[in-house]
Amino acid sequence: MKTCYVNVKADTVRNLALRIEEDENDLIVLPVVAPKSVSAPTKKKPNHMFEFVAMVPPDILKDEYQNRAITDYGAFIVMRLPKHMIKPEYLQGQ
């Protein structure tokens, strides 16, 4: 799966964050509110699905950007999975 990277090192995440920061954006770390939903694969939907909610406190945004923040952002999720759950071929050469 090309949109999912397995066995990612902390340096890779750090480098991604630095690239975002170089574009004159600021990074904020948002706590994930309890998952909105979690579902196991089915015949119709073969993927594990995790839907999360992250909340940006309104007091960190300037008044003129309160409504624009939801259309002008970029994000990625770093998720921990125990290595014993992942197929060995996805853990090699990373």
Side-chain angles (χ1 to χ4, degrees):
M1 177 179 277
K2 296 196 186 275
T3 57
C4 178
Y5 299 94
V6 179
N7 202 26
V8 175
K9 306 295 182 230
D11 282 345
T12 303
V13 176
R14 187 178 303 111
N15 291 339
L16 285 169
L18 287 172
R19 284 182 56 196
I20 292 170
E21 190 177 38
E22 287 171 359
D23 291 334
E24 297 184 12
N25 293 307
D26 200 2
L27 298 175
I28 60 175
V29 176
L30 301 172
V32 172
V33 180
K36 184 177 178 185
S37 69
V38 177
S39 58
T42 63
K43 288 182 180 180
K44 290 183 180 181
K45 296 181 181 179
N47 299 313
H48 287 80
M49 299 288 292
F50 298 86
E51 288 187 73
F52 295 104
V53 174
M55 294 184 176
V56 177
D59 54 330
I60 70 169
L61 298 171
K62 293 179 179 178
D63 290 339
E64 64 267 26
Y65 296 105
Q66 289 289 333
N67 293 328
R68 203 169 130 207
I70 71 168
T71 60
D72 190 8
Y73 71 93
F76 60 89
I77 293 174
V78 177
M79 188 173 170
R80 181 199 58 80
L81 277 176
K83 285 188 177 184
H84 72 273
M85 296 174 69
I86 300 170
K87 292 179 180 179
E89 61 266 25
Y90 287 94
L91 297 174
Q92 298 172 358
Q94 298 269 335

